[in-house]
Amino acid sequence: MNIALIIIFAFLVLSFYSGIRAQKGKDMNMEQWTVGGRGFGSIFIFLLVAGEIYTTFTFLGGSGWAYSKGAPSYYVLSYISLAYVISYWLLPPIWKYAKEHKLVSQSDFFVSKYNSPILGILVAAVGVIAIIPYLVLQFKGLGIIVSEASYGSISPAAAIWIGVIAVTIYVMISGIHGSAWTAAIKDIMIFFVVVFLGLYLPFHYYGGIQPMFEAVQASNPSFLTFPEEGLSISWYISTVLVTVFGFYMWPHTFGSVFSAKNANVFRKNTIMLPLYTLMLLFVFFVGFTAILQVPGLKGADGDLSLLRLSLQTFDPWVVGIIGAAGLLTALVPGSMLLMTGATLLAKNVYKVMAPHTSDAQIARIAKWLVPVISLISLYFAMSGGDTLVTLLLMGYSLVTQLFPALLFSLPAKPWVNKYGAFAGILCGVSTVAYVTVFQVTIATVFPNWPAVVKDLNIGVVALLVNLVVMFTVTFVTRNLFALNRHTANTEGTPTL
Amino acid sequence: ISRMKARDWLGVLPFIGMLGGIPFVNRVEPYLLGMPFVLFWIVLWVVLTSVIMAFLNKIDPATKEDSQ
């Protein structure tokens, strides 16, 4: 075992230790285990939200896409900033309603708003299904980190197993209190590591950031701007919109909203959090630097670019620190995702089916669902060849289907009813599943349409299907019930 | 919360800049702060978003009500 791996495993043990300490400090019931009470202040919520958002995707996927796709990777900067803008208006009413009704999960919110336990089951199911590709992303990232830091002595498959076992144990022994403290360590580490790499590597290899971009531009003149077709401006705008709408629809992100102290925390966060996204610039700089320094990484191997360049540049102990920061960026959100998925299945699916189950039993079931979800994700991590960004976009297309039903539930009189919301979500998710399984794009269905339409993110199509079905079903069912009521009222009345 | 207040329209500006502006700035030259122009444009709007939201926080009475 080399020094890089020793450092990485030392950080893993430290994370386990902080998780155990956190659990000992609190005798946790179900609500505490899920949202940590509602007592986190502004700084801690900042860390918690940032800890969930900055994942393996940011660390390896962001640099991987800059390496293999170029300009289209800029979409990440835009969507995160614009999601915070929307949060200014979206989150305060959600928080107030959740606090008033003592809700602890996203599914609870839909059940309460639409008065429909069945809709709650559907929302929980969509959340868990969307979490799977996001978890696969974390596990693949962990596998890349452990495998690369071992200088080839641990195979990628064995490394993914190590990652899955580590995350599962971490969740089983901690819960949110462990996550929150590890998130604080992670955010400090990832900040310094990413800024260091993003500045040191371009200066080391090219003498600066602009010379690095000029070298990339000279080798591939169209790489730093959006192409005319494919991942074009049309793709960029539609992808940003789909991901902005889906940003707070992830069950774990939605759940973290409930742990704020007051509604104003979200408004204050909209000032600082967009600036936090500028950290991604440094990740892009690493990816662009790697293009000419570690050439030849094709397809999903582009995600290896940050670590391959680090291995080529630094001593093993530096690689160990970089790997440890990467480990934490997978461990923190990975644990949050696993915990959320298990809680959703136990509380919002199992308990609805078996209402007499006690809270203690539900908490036990949730904890034992953690390894089950881990193993399902492990299967997909081993079998799929997608890039980290592709996996994230797949998850986003799914959770974004919850956005219209959420948005239309916020006015005092919801714009759609529970039948419309259910049908819309179901059709939207089915559309995403169909295009994912059969690899359909607008271009394959309508090859002669203009590029501006063909390049649209397929999530937009699913959203349109969702909206049309939602309003149609609402209109039909409202009129049907009105007609039934009218018929019931006029039965027995003599007609002319 | 569905009436938009005048100040709420400030929230639309980052969308116009970051999405609507891209077709007009999709080029490499001139490099600004060492970055290709299209990337600089997005970074500029990330910073402007933060400024706009700070201003909105300052003028929105809801921020004072919810702090109490």
Side-chain angles (χ1 to χ4, degrees):
Chain A
M1 189 182 274
N2 63 52
I3 186 72
L5 273 182
I6 290 170
I7 291 172
I8 289 170
F9 281 111
F11 270 90
L12 184 62
V13 171
L14 189 69
S15 301
F16 286 168
Y17 176 68
S18 81
I20 292 166
R21 269 178 63 95
Q23 200 193 28
K24 278 185 175 169
K26 279 245 180 188
D27 181 17
M28 289 183 278
N29 62 28
M30 188 67 182
E31 187 175 357
Q32 284 173 319
W33 198 65
T34 309
V35 298
R38 292 178 205 276
F40 292 154
S42 201
I43 290 175
F44 222 66
I45 284 289
F46 176 96
L47 284 176
L48 201 61
V49 172
E52 287 155 38
I53 291 160
Y54 296 98
T55 72
T56 318
F57 159 72
T58 326
F59 195 59
L60 300 178
S63 55
W65 249 47
Y67 176 94
S68 55
K69 307 288 185 189
S73 60
Y74 306 159
Y75 95 90
V76 186
L77 276 176
S78 305
Y79 94 82
I80 298 180
S81 300
L82 293 177
Y84 294 134
V85 173
I86 282 194
S87 76
Y88 187 94
W89 290 274
L90 185 69
L91 300 190
I94 290 174
W95 181 86
K96 286 178 181 177
Y97 185 86
K99 185 167 183 279
E100 227 170 81
H101 296 80
K102 293 204 76 161
L103 308 176
V104 297
S105 77
Q106 179 186 39
S107 187
D108 294 344
F109 187 89
F110 281 84
V111 170
S112 180
K113 272 285 185 183
Y114 285 101
N115 191 23
S116 169
I118 297 293
L119 183 61
I121 292 178
L122 177 67
V123 169
V126 171
V128 173
I129 292 167
I131 274 175
I132 298 291
Y134 209 169
L135 261 176
V136 170
L137 187 165
Q138 310 302 335
F139 292 152
K140 283 186 85 158
L142 265 174
I144 288 170
I145 290 161
V146 173
S147 170
E148 291 292 314
S150 74
Y151 289 80
S153 63
I154 297 177
S155 73
I160 290 174
W161 266 105
I162 291 169
V164 169
I165 292 167
V167 174
T168 307
I169 291 172
Y170 181 71
V171 173
M172 300 281 279
I173 62 175
S174 61
I176 198 171
H177 293 284
S179 290
W181 283 113
T182 315
I185 300 166
K186 164 205 162 297
D187 276 314
I188 294 164
M189 267 189 85
I190 193 78
F191 181 83
F192 286 110
V193 164
V194 163
V195 171
F196 167 72
L197 290 177
L199 292 177
Y200 179 83
L201 291 169
F203 276 88
H204 176 72
Y205 284 104
Y206 298 98
I209 290 165
Q210 185 168 330
M212 176 265 291
F213 277 121
E214 285 170 342
V216 171
Q217 170 75 357
S219 73
N220 186 347
S222 62
F223 200 67
L224 298 176
T225 54
F226 290 96
E228 294 290 320
E229 291 197 349
L231 300 176
S232 63
I233 291 174
S234 169
W235 173 87
Y236 161 81
I237 292 173
S238 58
T239 299
V240 168
L241 287 175
V242 165
T243 44
V244 164
F245 295 151
F247 193 80
Y248 286 102
M249 295 303 105
W250 289 99
H252 61 293
T253 314
F254 201 101
S256 73
V257 168
F258 298 164
S259 50
K261 220 170 209 164
N262 62 49
N264 215 26
V265 166
F266 308 114
R267 297 194 185 98
K268 276 199 288 189
N269 277 347
T270 61
I271 301 171
M272 283 306 293
L273 284 172
L275 294 178
Y276 209 99
T277 63
L278 293 179
M279 254 179 66
L280 283 165
L281 270 180
F282 299 105
V283 176
F284 292 158
F285 293 164
V286 176
F288 285 123
T289 301
I291 291 168
L292 300 177
Q293 302 306 323
V294 283
L297 299 173
K298 300 287 181 206
D301 281 351
D303 294 329
L304 304 174
S305 59
L306 183 145
L307 282 165
R308 285 281 164 90
L309 188 59
S310 300
L311 290 172
Q312 181 180 296
T313 313
F314 300 114
D315 290 341
W317 69 270
V318 182
V319 172
I321 291 172
I322 294 166
L327 168 95
L328 293 181
T329 65
L331 196 64
V332 173
S335 66
M336 185 68 89
L337 289 163
L338 255 182
M339 191 178 66
T340 305
T343 306
L344 275 174
L345 282 178
K347 189 172 178 297
N348 297 99
V349 178
Y350 184 85
K351 178 141 189 176
V352 175
M353 309 275 198
H356 299 302
T357 318
S358 73
D359 277 358
Q361 284 173 305
I362 289 295
R364 230 183 351 262
I365 290 166
K367 285 188 182 180
W368 288 108
L369 276 169
V370 166
V372 174
I373 296 173
S374 285
L375 287 172
I376 293 168
S377 304
L378 175 72
Y379 168 77
F380 287 110
M382 294 292 198
S383 58
D386 291 317
T387 66
L388 299 178
V389 172
T390 308
L391 286 166
L392 186 73
L393 287 175
M394 190 192 304
Y396 260 112
S397 293
L398 287 165
V399 288
T400 300
Q401 303 311 315
L402 302 176
F403 183 73
L406 173 87
L407 189 68
F408 299 139
S409 79
L410 292 179
K413 188 179 184 307
W415 290 11
V416 295
N417 62 19
K418 60 186 174 187
Y419 306 103
F422 189 95
I425 292 170
L426 196 62
C427 290
V429 168
S430 302
T431 305
V432 173
Y434 178 81
V435 300
T436 304
V437 171
F438 295 103
Q439 302 281 300
V440 178
T441 64
I442 299 175
T444 57
V445 180
F446 304 108
N448 298 321
W449 283 24
V452 72
V453 179
K454 284 195 297 186
D455 296 342
L456 284 172
N457 185 309
I458 202 78
V460 170
V461 178
L463 263 182
L464 285 175
V465 170
N466 184 337
L467 284 167
V468 169
V469 170
M470 187 176 289
F471 279 106
T472 305
V473 171
T474 296
F475 177 77
V476 169
T477 50
R478 273 181 184 165
N479 283 313
L480 204 62
F481 293 141
L483 185 68
N484 284 346
R485 267 199 302 274
H486 178 72
T487 308
N489 290 341
T490 54
E491 262 175 9
T493 308
T495 51
L496 292 171
Chain B
I1 282 171
S2 56
R3 201 158 37 88
M4 290 273 283
K5 295 274 186 197
R7 63 172 172 270
D8 292 340
W9 287 99
L10 283 172
V12 178
L13 288 178
F15 284 84
I16 294 170
M18 238 180 274
L19 302 182
I22 293 295
F24 306 101
V25 297
N26 188 28
R27 57 178 185 272
V28 173
E29 305 277 356
Y31 285 93
L32 290 170
L33 295 180
M35 292 178 278
F37 188 63
V38 61
L39 178 57
F40 170 80
W41 177 265
I42 292 171
V43 169
L44 175 68
W45 271 99
V46 169
V47 176
L48 286 176
T49 297
S50 193
V51 173
I52 289 166
M53 297 319 285
F55 179 64
L56 194 53
N57 264 281
K58 206 173 171 59
I59 63 169
D60 191 346
T63 56
K64 290 175 187 65
E65 290 160 19
D66 285 338
S67 292
Q68 287 154 11

